[in-house]
């Protein structure tokens, strides 16, 4: 098996050009919103609005300005599937369409998926959506076909400022840690979002300079199965109580019940 | 097999601690075995032609992938010292500039005062344009100014455009225009 | 680009984008590099990664500002005040690079006593003609020693051959004061000219806080000198002003004072907007010049004969002394064997210009009915300046030929324009005969592009264009062939030009074999002619030195000579990259020199200024280094200028600017500009504020094509209180023809918007995404409001001035459409280059 | 959990299925209890068996139609690439797929048993006099079938809570709530069924009423617990729009009102009352399914 590969997205060098969005659509031949006839969102320069079944890369824009413009920051971040080591989508997928590849990436095989949509609800990052064209759930494949042929994923190859970096995950993590300390030395509070402590590590992780929520990311993503056992336990408890109630109600009439068995018989003989 | 192991764990998880699953995940048990599924690369058998981005003037190198005479992909050329494979959103969309249902592939002609286009053969249009060019040029050519200066030019014809076209075109087009006495030759480069 | 040409000798970026990675400080001004040139910006980010400082001076907080160390906000149109302030800071605080300034610039040169500065004449220079609104530059000249022998035009006209002609033009040397103390020295004039451009004045006029300005000044100067270099990048936000050329000049002066020209990590990077806009300037489809930046024959100058033309244009004491060779070889390229010494190589057949025949001038003329036919190739005048005027002008043509990918606004003006939609014009009344010819995509034809830093790159044909789509050279070649047939039997002398025209770019059957289109002309034959060849044996010219003035060589464009030195060596198609200069990738004119004037990267004695910044140096026998030396390869640093030498012999071993008459960079420009030898602040023609520096409000010589529908707002007009600036977005290209028809790009920025500050929005009761009406003296348009703190109000001389911004990519054709922003702009221009003023004019904004 | 842009679009098909499956499971569980207390051959048990199987058939159909690619429904049972069985115990959706396949098999036998008891036909020794249910084997059958019914009644709720969807993923009580609602609606359906069959004098009606009262109370308690365990985000998505109306409706129509009818309305005596109570419980159960499925999605 190949080494684990992934994305390291350094948001501090992102210029929000959206080359990643287009390069992704070009390589994966994904359609545009309403054939391109989209509407202005009014939310900074973000008009594609979300990650979904046809937007596998999405650049977020966050404007942070004080009235006097003394504090002036425009955060940009190219969002994508996190390719979690502990992947919620993969966990719930009932068809085995979602697999962990030899590159330790998470891929939805659209020839297997039957569109049950459980993965959409299971993803902690709101990454997956239905591609109307195929009727199946879709998301970033980390350019599985390109990886198998030794090519860089389309978005990472296109990214002009190396905000999106692709490579062996261990190498990327070292690079990110180095970058964090550099930035800290310069007085910028930077940190890595998606280290090994998060869902066993996100194979697409980020360098951020503000709280995860600011970028629309969950501070503490969980697996859908986090309380599966508890749910069944409580469910069993609930059922037992109901069952006992029933048993109680029906027990009293035991004799009539025995008698009744015959009456029914007779009744039906008439 | 991993799955059965997990099933077992799962059952105990269910029957014991309620959050066993979460705990299990936290312990880092992988929830799917690594599998390799061979993927089809759509440019595997394509012919590759080096080209240059048609948008801004940075001059990013690009690669055109062609299958059966049809362009199937255009992406950044990793070899280019200008962009090393990078592209901006426009460059990345170059493929769609070529392969686009809205692209017009026939000659359209609008007769004076007409309210609609009519398709015409390319040769007919070329002949007609040459004819009009000659007619207007011959009608408007000035050999000498009032004060007797030799000019041999026409100000009745104006050629606009060039900053998006090849050097070879800019050179040959201005050469043709000037040989016809056309001096009003312009493009986007007014600096 | 006179802004750079006049200062350094060649009108093009002095460096190449990748070299920016070696800079210690990058100042981006008049450009939104991250948005408009994202991939070149990668090298800026590489430099930043290595610790370089990034400064963005811009009215708006853009995607460039977002990653900059310092964002200095200035009111649109106040750039010269900011740059002049920096020049003043450098001089007052003695931060200039003295050795560089004394040896490599004209700082020490003495100017004639007749010269009067704007400080003396309250905003105009000596030589100004109020009536004609023009300058005569006699008083701006160098003070020279007494001539031993007479020289000049009249002497040259007596010459019997070209060499003699050039010799007769040579003036005596100019007077210099290396101490820079002479009050008439360029340095002292410069010092006095900018003395009032203080940090306080900068804040009053630009609205940029004094502290921010000083931070910028300190950062740039701290990163210039022998050990460090600072670079500057600009784009059309410097050029699109009535003082555009002078803004660029100001940057040139600053970079010379700081010793940043010709050195790695330094220079000035012009970021241009079209794939080969540099190539279309080098091989000009521009009215004012023939190839290689040589002036177009013009009745307003002494150009009545070839000899007169050369006597007027040739610079005897610089590399330009070779002009006779270039002109003769150009004429041979045009007229071939018909061009002989006896007929001045057909010079008389070549048309002459009689005035300004630029885009705006011609569209004004068309509007007034004097233009009959028009070719529009890959351009979209229907969305251009004062677009309504231009669309009406199109309607007055007899015929119009449009070549493009999609049905552009220009192609469809006769039924889809706002004027037709509103009923102001009727389609049936528009008598223009219109042709739309489908064009080919870059991947569907072969040829070369020249990028923003003079790099020629060949692109190969991968597939045929669909249907009747054809390459651009196909159109021109077959049109030319038809014309030559039509004129074949003419005996009329005035048809000699087209009859003699050399037109031999026949299709190459072999290279067309794999394609459906078999009659595609041979681009390589054209490139060979551009590069030049010997008529005798057809062998390709290898270098400038091979170009002859005796009619034995053909050379279509001398500056490209060497790009195709042998039939099997098309260097524009060479693809051997390395990790820096990449001499093996494409061909960088001139002579594959990537950083121009790189002699200046070494000290006068020929050694590098510092180890850290070594680039080209003298090794004892020759100049060597990382690049092709932009200097005579074997000319030692201590070579003196030959008293009676012409050309480069007239220059010494310490003169890096070989295209300039004195081999020096020009801080002060005695010639080459129509609006003054030194950059001076003038307000935009339409401005809400008075010029606080001079009585002269706007440029005294700007151009205005007056007509009933090209009226201008008065200074401080209360009906148009806001400054508006127009610009591009990463997601779109120009008028949108190449982006609004593409779903992938259209969805990224689907609708026209106006960016306005929350402060102005509150004043106007406008909420985000509300429709607003924006009006200028030319037109009123609609757009959605994008209310954002990235736009800020400016405090100018104590008063609040609001600025709004609009991208101009929309039109009435495409997958996504919107009003044409250029409906609002005016036909006014810079006097030197006829560039319009789209970056700063005035408007009003109301809730729709 | 972050707010959602991408919705699952689990709409009418899904909440109708969850409701019907609940009724089927609840009825079958009731029958199983009866079996265990020795009343496997009671008319109520038979009615339950007659209800469960057909409803489950409808459910299977609804789930298949709801898929983006219905023709690939079998991918949930067999791995399309390897032809190996596809089963993930830790995926409620996977488990549910199997349950929707296996439980009906048991329900089918019980269904046949009920028909045979009704003397509609006989299969060899399998006849009215010797039906499966009521026999020792029937007990085992009922226990297994009852457990499966329990799983069917629980899994859809657990499936929703095993997500990261605000509202669903916030509480671990959904499974319990669903299974208890299942029992309640199962009892409701039986009340209605018995009433329709006009067995007014039938003592079972009283038993059903008594059981219903207790289960409905339990259901009401769980609704409160569920809402209480939701985070603020969860509360926001449920206590808004049509979901709020439905939840309140479920509590009143499906809870308090039938409680009053059954406790004080002497439903046991009057079939119309029993029928009405049954209908109300069913409506309440349906509203609850609707609220839980739609609530979180109405904020997408």
């Amino acid at each position: 098996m190949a080494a684990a590969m992934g994305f390291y997205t350094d948001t501090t060098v992102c210029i929000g050009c959206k080359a990643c969005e287009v390069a992704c659509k070009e390589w994966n031949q994904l359609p545009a919103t309403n054939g391109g006839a989209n509407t202005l969102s009014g939310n900074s320069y973000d008009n594609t609005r979300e990650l979904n079944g046809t937007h596998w890369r999405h650049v977020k824009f966050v404007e942070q300005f004080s009235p006097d413009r003394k504090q002036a920051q425009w955060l940009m971040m190219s969002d994508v599937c996190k390719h979690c080591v502990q992947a919620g989508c993969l966990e719930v997928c009932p068809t085995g369409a979602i697999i962990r590849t030899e590159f330790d990436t998470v891929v939805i095989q659209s020839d297997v998926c039957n569109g049950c949509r459980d993965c959409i609800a299971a993803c902690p990052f709101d990454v997956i959506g239905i591609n109307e064209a195929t009727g199946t759930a879709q998301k970033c494949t980390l350019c599985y076909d390109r990886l198998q042929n030794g090519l860089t994923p389309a978005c990472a190859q296109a990214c002009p400022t190396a905000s999106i970096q692709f490579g062996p995950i261990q190498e990327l993590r070292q690079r990110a840690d180095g970058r964090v300390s550099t930035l800290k030395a310069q007085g910028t509070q930077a940190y890595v979002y998606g280290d090994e402590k998060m869902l066993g590590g996100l194979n697409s992780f980020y360098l951020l300079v503000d709280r995860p929520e600011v970028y629309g990311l969950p501070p503490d993503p969980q697996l859908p199965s986090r309380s599966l056992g508890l749910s069944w336990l409580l469910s069993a408890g609930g059922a037992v109580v109901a069952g006992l109630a029933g048993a109680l109600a029906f027990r009293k009439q035991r004799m009539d019940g025995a008698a009744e068995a015959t009456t029914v018989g007779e009744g039906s003989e008439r | 097999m991993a799955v059965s192991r997990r099933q077992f764990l799962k059952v105990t998880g269910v029957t014991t601690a309620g959050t066993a699953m979460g705990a299990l995940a936290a312990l880092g048990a992988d929830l799917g075995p690594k599998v390799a599924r061979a993927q089809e690369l759509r440019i595997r058998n394509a012919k590759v032609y080096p080209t240059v981005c048609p948008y801004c003037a940075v001059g990013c190198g690009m690669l055109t992938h062609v299958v059966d005479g049809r362009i199937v992909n255009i992406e950044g050329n990793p070899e280019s010292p200008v962009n090393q494979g990078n592209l901006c959103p426009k460059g990345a969309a170059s493929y769609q500039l070529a392969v686009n249902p809205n692209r017009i592939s026939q000659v359209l002609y609008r007769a004076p005062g007409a309210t609609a286009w009519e398709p015409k053969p390319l040769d007919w249009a070329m002949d007609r344009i040459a004819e009009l060019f000659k007619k207007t040029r011959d009608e408007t050519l000035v050999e000498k100014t009032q004060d007797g200066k030799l000019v041999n030019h026409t100000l009745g014809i104006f050629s606009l455009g060039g900053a998006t076209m090849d050097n070879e075109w800019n050179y040959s087009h201005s050469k043709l225009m000037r040989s016809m006495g056309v001096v009003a030759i312009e493009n986007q480069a007014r600096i | 680009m006179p802004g750079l040409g006049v200062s350094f000798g060649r009108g093009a970026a002095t460096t190449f984008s990748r070299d920016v990675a070696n800079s210690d400080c990058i100042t981006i001004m008049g450009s939104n590099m991250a948005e408009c040139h994202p991939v070149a910006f990668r090298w800026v980010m590489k430099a930043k990664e290595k610790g370089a400082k990034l400064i963005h001076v811009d009215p708006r907080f853009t995607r460039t500002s977002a990653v900059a160390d310092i964002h200095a906000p200035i009111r649109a149109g106040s750039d010269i005040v900011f740059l002049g302030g920096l020049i003043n800071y450098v001089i007052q605080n003695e931060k200039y690079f003295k050795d560089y300034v004394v040896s490599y610039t004209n700082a020490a040169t003495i100017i004639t006593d007749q010269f009067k500065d704007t400080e003396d004449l309250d905003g105009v220079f000596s030589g100004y003609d109020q009536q004609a609104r023009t300058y005569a530059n006699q008083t701006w000249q160098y003070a020279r020693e007494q001539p031993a022998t007479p020289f000049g035009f009249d002497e040259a006209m007596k010459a019997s051959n070209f060499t003699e002609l050039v010799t007769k033009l040579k003036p005596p040397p100019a007077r210099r004061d290396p101490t820079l103390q002479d009050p008439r020295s360029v340095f002292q004039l410069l010092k006095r000219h900018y003395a009032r451009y203080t940090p306080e004045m900068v804040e009053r006029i630009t609205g940029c806080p004094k502290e921010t300005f000083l931070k910028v000044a300190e950062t740039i100067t701290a990163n210039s000198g022998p050990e460090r270099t600072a670079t500057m990048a600009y784009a059309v936000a410097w050029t699109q002003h009535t003082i555009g050329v002078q803004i660029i000049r100001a940057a040139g002066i600053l970079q010379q004072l700081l010793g940043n020209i010709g050195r790695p990590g330094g220079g000035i990077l012009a970021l241009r907007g079209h794939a080969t806009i540099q190539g279309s300037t080098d091989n000009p489809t521009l009215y004012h010049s023939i190839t290689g930046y040589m002036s177009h024959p013009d009745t307003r100058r002494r150009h009545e004969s070839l000899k007169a033309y050369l006597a007027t244009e040739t610079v005897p004491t610089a590399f330009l002394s070779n002009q006779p060779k270039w002109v003769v070889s150009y004429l041979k390229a045009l007229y071939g064997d018909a061009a002989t010494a006896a007929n001045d190589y057909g010079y008389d057949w070549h048309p002459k210009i009689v005035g300004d025949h630029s885009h705006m001038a011609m569209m004004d003329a068309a509007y007034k009915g004097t233009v009959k036919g028009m070719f529009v190739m890959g351009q979209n005048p229907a969305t251009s300046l004062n677009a309504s005027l231009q669309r009406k002008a199109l309607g007055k043509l007899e015929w119009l030929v449009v070549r493009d990918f999609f049905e552009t606004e220009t192609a469809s003006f006769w039924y889809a324009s706002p004027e037709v939609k509103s009923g102001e014009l009727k389609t049936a009344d528009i008598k223009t005969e219109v042709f739309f010819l489908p064009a080919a995509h870059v991947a569907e034809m072969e040829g070369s592009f020249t990028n923003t830093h003079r790099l020629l790159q060949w692109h190969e044909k991968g597939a045929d264009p669909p249907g009747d789509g054809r390459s651009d050279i196909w159109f021109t070649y077959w049109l030319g062939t038809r014309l030559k047939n039509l004129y074949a039997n003419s005996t009329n002398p005035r048809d000699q030009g087209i009859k003699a025209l050399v037109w031999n770019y026949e299709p190459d059957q072999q290279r067309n074999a794999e394609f459906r289109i078999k009659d595609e002309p041979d681009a390589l034959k054209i490139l060979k002619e551009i590069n030049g060849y010997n008529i005798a044996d057809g062998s390709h010219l290898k270098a400038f030195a091979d170009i002859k003035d005796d009619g034995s060589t053909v050379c279509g464009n001398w500056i490209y000579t060497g790009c195709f030195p042998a039939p099997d060596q098309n260097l524009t198609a060479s693809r051997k990259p390395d990790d820096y200069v990449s001499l093996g990738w494409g061909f960088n004119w001139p002579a594959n020199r990537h950083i121009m004037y790189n002699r200046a990267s070494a000290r006068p004695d020929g050694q590098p200024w510092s180890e850290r910044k070594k680039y080209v140096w003298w090794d004892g026998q020759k100049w060597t280094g990382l690049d092709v030396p932009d200097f005579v390869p074997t000319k030692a640093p201590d070579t003196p200028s030959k008293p009676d030498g012409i050309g480069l012999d007239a220059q010494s071993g310490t003169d890096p600017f070989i295209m300039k008459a004195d081999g020096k960079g020009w801080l002060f420009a005695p010639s080459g500009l129509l609006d003054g030898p030194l950059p001076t602040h003038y307000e935009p023609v339409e401005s809400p504020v008075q010029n606080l520096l001079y009585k002269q409000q706007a440029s005294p010589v700007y151009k205005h094509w007056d007509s009933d529908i090209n009226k201008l707002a008065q200074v401080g007009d209360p009906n148009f209180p806001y400054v508006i600036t127009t610009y591009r977005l990463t997601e779109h290209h120009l008028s949108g023809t190449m982006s609004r028809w593409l779903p992938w790009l259209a969805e990224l920025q689907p609708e026209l918007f106006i960016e306005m500050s929350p402060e102005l929005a509150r004043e106007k009761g406008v909420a985000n995404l509300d429709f607003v009406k924006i009006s200028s003296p030319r037109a009123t348009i609609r757009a959605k409001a994008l209310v954002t703190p990235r736009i800020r109000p400016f405090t100018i001389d104590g008063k609040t001035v609001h600025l709004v911004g609009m991208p101009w990519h929309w039109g009435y054709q495409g997958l996504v459409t919107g009003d044409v922003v250029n409906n609002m702009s005016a036909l006014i221009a810079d006097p030197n280059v006829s560039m319009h003023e789209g970056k700063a004019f005035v408007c009003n904004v109301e809730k729709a | 959990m972050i707010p959602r842009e991408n919705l699952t679009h689990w709409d009418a098909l899904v909440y109708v299925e969850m409701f019907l499956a609940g009724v089927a499971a609840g009825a079958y569980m009731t029958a199983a209890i009866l079996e265990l207390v020795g009343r496997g051959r009671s008319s109520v048990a038979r009615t339950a068996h007659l209800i469960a199987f057909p409803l489950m058939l409808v459910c299977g159909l609804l789930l298949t139609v709801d898929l983006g690619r219905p023709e690939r429904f079998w991918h949930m049972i067999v791995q399309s690439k390897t032809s190996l069985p596809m089963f993930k115990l830790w995926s409620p959706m996977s488990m549910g797929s199997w349950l929707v396949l296996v439980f009906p098999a048991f329900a089918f036998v019980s269904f046949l048993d009920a028909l045979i008891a009704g003397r509609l036909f006989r299969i060899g020794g399998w006849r009215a006099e010797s039906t499966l249910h009521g026999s020792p084997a029937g007990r085992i059958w009922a226990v297994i079938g009852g457990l499966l019914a329990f799983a069917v009644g629980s899994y859809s709720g657990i499936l929703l809570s095993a997500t990261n969807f605000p509202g669903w993923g916030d509480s671990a009580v959904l499974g319990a709530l669903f299974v208890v609602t299942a029992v309640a609606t199962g009892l409701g359906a039986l009340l209605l069924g018995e009433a329709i069959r006009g067995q007014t004098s039938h003592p079972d009606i009283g038993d059903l009423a008594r059981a219903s009262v207790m289960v409905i109370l339990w259901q009401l308690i769980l609704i409160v617990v569920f809402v209480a365990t939701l985070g603020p985000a969860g509360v926001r998505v449920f206590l808004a729009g049509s979901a709020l109306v439905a939840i309140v409706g479920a509590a009143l129509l499906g809870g308090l009102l039938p409680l009053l009818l059954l406790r004080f309305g002497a439903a046991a005596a009057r079939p119309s009352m029993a029928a009405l109570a049954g209908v109300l419980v069913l409506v309440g159960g349906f509203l609850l399914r609707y609220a839980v499925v739609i609530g979180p999605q109405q904020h997408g």
Side-chain angles (χ1 to χ4, degrees), chain B residues 46-57:
Chain B
K47 280 198 201 166
V48 188
Y49 300 84
T51 186
V52 181
C53 181
Y55 288 93
C56 86

Side-chain angles (χ1 to χ4, degrees), chain A residues 90 92 112 117 122-123 126, chain D residues 4-5 8 75 88 91 164 169:
Chain A
L90 189 154
V92 300
V112 177
R117 317 196 286 289
C123 174
D126 193 20
Chain D
R4 289 285 160 152
E5 294 293 346
T8 55
H75 288 198
K88 282 184 183 173
S91 164
N164 281 295

